[in-house]
Amino acid sequence: MVMSIAHRATGIANYAGSALLVLWLAAAAWGQEPLNVVNAIYGSWFGQLVLFLYSWSLIHHMLGGLKHFVWDFAEMMEPGQREMLSWATLVGSVVLTLLVWTIFVWVR
Amino acid sequence: MREQVITPQVIANPKSKYGNAKASTRHFITQRLSGAINIAFLGLLLFVVVQLAGQDRADMVATLGNAWIGVPLALLLVIVTVHMRNGMRDTLEDYFAGRSYQLLMMLNTVFCILIALVGVASIFKLVFWG
């Protein structure tokens, strides 16, 4: 139940977040100066926080989608199993997000 | 797609018919298919962002200007917008009906087309004109 709401919420967050991606691409296409502005905003602590949450939202929504693929084959639907699967998507998304940021941003 | 207001009575009655059977099945399949393809989009996005986050325009032209990266990214972005519109439709169907649903659905379509157009135009600018 809660994870169904989370899937919808992250879906809507990704919907809005797509504007961030397109804004970055458009600034790059436009010229160096607009790109500098976008890079400064996205590179600020608040920008990085938003991008961190956006990346978690994307990963969580992807794992939630994979969970639905499993359920489409009528697997893992028993009580206990489905809760376990939902917890796996939550833990998995947090671990994956931290892994990506650790490898590609913080340690790099 | 939906004009009829769906009450608990409509749902409780097994003989009632609501929604568009054909379109709904198509939306379901579209959503699964585009969702699966979006996994590839996320992989490519991760690669592009790791390569280019905070980089100058010249670096973005160098990486995205490679047609083997830019063109697939543009194509996958279009599929993402299809998935976005479909997913938002699911949400709107749950909370709205009639005119307000149609209006919001139109805004949804406009937003998704805008994202696709600006995204593809920007990427193609980098790919074909530097």
Side-chain angles (χ1 to χ4, degrees), chain B residues 74-89:
Chain B
L75 201 70
L76 289 171
L77 182 65
V78 171
I79 296 172
V80 164
T81 59
V82 171
H83 189 85
M84 276 164 53
R85 175 165 179 267
N86 239 332
M88 188 55 86
R89 182 212 307 279

Side-chain angles (χ1 to χ4, degrees), chain A residues 2-81:
Chain A
V2 172
M3 297 314 282
S4 162
I5 296 169
H7 194 67
R8 179 160 284 187
T10 52
I12 293 171
N14 297 343
Y15 185 95
S18 67
L20 293 176
L21 170 64
V22 165
L23 206 65
W24 178 51
L25 293 172
W30 197 268
Q32 182 63 50
E33 276 175 30
L35 183 61
N36 285 343
V37 174
V38 168
N39 279 344
I41 295 170
Y42 289 10
S44 69
W45 70 266
F46 185 71
Q48 290 286 290
L49 181 68
V50 170
L51 290 181
F52 180 83
L53 293 173
Y54 180 31
S55 66
W56 170 77
S57 172
L58 284 169
I59 290 171
H60 187 272
H61 197 77
M62 178 184 78
L63 293 181
L66 289 173
K67 179 179 74 177
H68 278 283
F69 279 128
V70 172
W71 281 342
D72 282 349
F73 292 96
E75 299 285 343
M76 303 290 287
M77 290 186 118
E78 297 303 319
Q81 287 182 330

Side-chain angles (χ1 to χ4, degrees), chain B residues 49-112:
Chain B
V49 168
V50 165
Q51 289 275 314
L52 295 176
Q55 299 297 312
D56 287 334
R57 195 169 181 282
D59 303 306
M60 295 198 61
V61 172
T63 299
L64 287 178
N66 180 344
W68 292 105
I69 297 173
V71 174
L73 185 69
L75 201 70
L76 289 171
L77 182 65
V78 171
I79 296 172
V80 164
T81 59
V82 171
H83 189 85
M84 276 164 53
R85 175 165 179 267
N86 239 332
M88 188 55 86
R89 182 212 307 279
D90 278 344
T91 310
L92 295 177
E93 277 177 346
D94 281 354
Y95 302 111
F96 301 97
R99 292 286 296 162
S100 52
Y101 168 77
Q102 285 176 343
L103 178 71
L104 288 166
M105 196 55 206
M106 195 189 70
L107 290 175
N108 179 26
T109 306
V110 168
F111 180 81
C112 293

